Amino acid sequence: MFEEIDLPLSINTSSEDPSAIFFDPVLKSAVTYDVGVGYFTSGWIADTAQGISQFARSRGKARWVVGHELQEKDLDSIVNSKAVADKEFQAKRIFEEEVAQVFSALKEDARLALAWLIRDGIVELKVAVPTNKLSGIYHAKNGIFTDEAGNDIAFSGSYNLTARASSNWETIDIYRSWTSEEGRQRCEKKKHEFESIWQGKDPNLLTFTPTSKTLDRIKAYATTGSRPYSLPSGRPAIPQAIQDDEGQIRGYQEKAIKAWFAQNGQGLFCMATGAGKTITALTAATRLLDYFRTQQAKLIIVITVPYVHLAEQWADEAAFFGYDAIKCYGGKDKWLGALQSAYNQLLSVDRDHLVAIAVNDTFKNSQFQSFLDGVRTNFLLVSDEVHNMGAENIAQKLPQKARFRIGLSATPIRHNDPFGTKAIFDYFGEPVIEFDIKDAIDAGFLCKYNYYPIVCELDPEELDEYIRLSKRIARLMAMGDKDDFSTSLKLELIKRAKLTGSSADKKRKLKQLLNDSQDRQHTLIYSSEAINDGERDIDRIVQIAGRDCQWRVAKFTAEESKEQRAEILGSFKAGDIDAIVAIKCLDEGVDIPQTKTAYIVASSTNPRQFIQRRGRVLRQYDGKGFAAIYDFIAIPPLDKLGEDEETFNIEKNMVERELERIVEFAEISENYGHTLSTLREIRKKLKLLGA
């Protein structure tokens, strides 16, 4: 409580540290924090990190009114607008255009902290611009704290909540509501002043809330790292920060949840990267829990994910909703006892829900399966990247006791595995929403992109091997059921994919593009898994990018430790390395929205893979603009097509498979017209235009 804090009447920066003496101890006990500042900076957020973290853990609520320095032309556009609505429109437009500049001025850790605070609904932000009689900037330097007992602390003075302020001679006057009548009146006056500004009632200040688009751009920074504070667990609820005034989340998410309930709590959420499938699933789960609470019933929620980094992201999101999830990975000694103890509490009167997050390897093991077999209450299974659940060694372990089921994936269909696909649909049910990449781009959740197909011709020996493999594949397919992909057939298909993915011309074209590139930072390069003459393709590409083209580059594979991968991603985000070369490790769940350019040197014919890779590059990030995708297409030499009909048809089928991907990528790109000319020339030579 505030009464226990020993505070001076005033502080000056000549002899005292305002954060240590005032801000940190007060924030640790505060439940609300209203502040008006002309500027806020990285220095101030870093200085008050300890207090802000405690404030966040306590689910404090802060309202910040921040000044915004405007150019003279910007002020004119606001002042000259006749109606208040027009003034506000101009102010929002200007702030939206400059939000990247405002946030780029903050250091990475401060940007991350502020983004999480806004995303979690702990900080509500408004911007103040002088109007009518005033010009210049909103230059307030005051704030009001309140504790659980209703005591107030107000402050005012020259200290401007910036790192520079602590190096200037600055002063803060402090007022306490419980010490004297004068203190109470001063606190009341500050509260009244702030409330007037917050409500937009000050006649000489235009106070506006940034648009949802601007706030989404700010919140996007929160995807670049973990929450820098913990949130308290308690009664789970849908966070106010993601709801509109009517208690709704995004329209398409609400539609999906409604359809899921209409299907008796079963269905697939087919949603593109960036569309918020995690939020949608947790909202559905929370509404289901709310229903069971009205029935005095209980609910177990089990969430499965393929990788630990995805599990950590889910734990962060679950905490946002107020869930204290049990993390089931890293060895049974770390989770089995906690899981069983929580379930025993559920069977008593101590708790009404339980959330467990398990990686797929844990989900399959005997201890976790034994726990699932023993569940005797309402049970919801949520499976992220649900296409993985169709694998034979896991599909048979899906719990039939889970009456409620959610499967999440941009593409739930398993490539060349009709039986696994059927298992997914039979268990989870039909899709309740199909929100693809085009929908996400149109809605502004993913950025627009330019697409450049890079045509690479197979060398003669590569083409001979491709034709040999294709003939063997055709024989194997003729021998078996068209829906049955035997082990032998799969192996030959893999060999052929590695051959096209590692062609020599792809490496030649990549080297040329990397040498010519004017913008090197935040680039992904996808390599094949092939090994040629004892050298792995990924190592050769790292050599091309690093030694030959002088890029700062790192390899990102299963061989690197968890700590090494985290270090690589951190360096990539900070711009300390230019490019990451990967095979598959970046395909699912790694959020690196800074990525601007992708060179897809190798890609399988699996639609899910290239959809995931495209989505990985299209994550929104402030200042990013358009993304660029360079897709390396392997084709036979067009001027030396096979003379016999069988060889020609093999070569034609090869190009047709590649063209399917080109069309998929190109049709929603910004430079579709440019790509069409490339497609037309290839089709003409392969007699695909009916010519």
Side-chain angles (χ1 to χ4, degrees), residues 223-225 273 309 313 569 573 589-594 616 619:
T223 66
T224 66
T273 297
H309 66 260
Q313 289 173 23
L569 290 177
K573 292 170 182 177
V590 178
D591 284 327
I592 37 178
Q594 297 94 333
R616 194 72 52 232
R619 287 279 196 178

Side-chain angles (χ1 to χ4, degrees), residues 449-454 600 614 627-633 658 661-667 669-672 674-675:
Y449 68 96
N450 288 314
Y451 174 67
Y452 306 99
I454 308 300
I600 304 177
R614 179 171 52 172
I629 299 173
Y630 294 84
D631 192 9
F632 291 66
I633 311 298
E658 296 284 68
R661 185 169 81 252
I662 295 177
V663 171
E664 173 81 17
F665 270 66
E667 62 184 2
S669 69
E670 293 300 295
N671 62 331
Y672 185 32
H674 169 79
T675 310

Side-chain angles (χ1 to χ4, degrees), residues 33-37 138 140-144 155-157 159 161 190 193-194 197:
Y33 176 26
D34 295 336
V35 63
V37 291
Y138 169 70
K141 304 172 184 180
N142 55 60
I144 311 98
F155 70 92
S156 66
Y159 190 72
L161 304 186
K190 293 298 178 187
E193 284 178 359
F194 180 88
I197 295 168

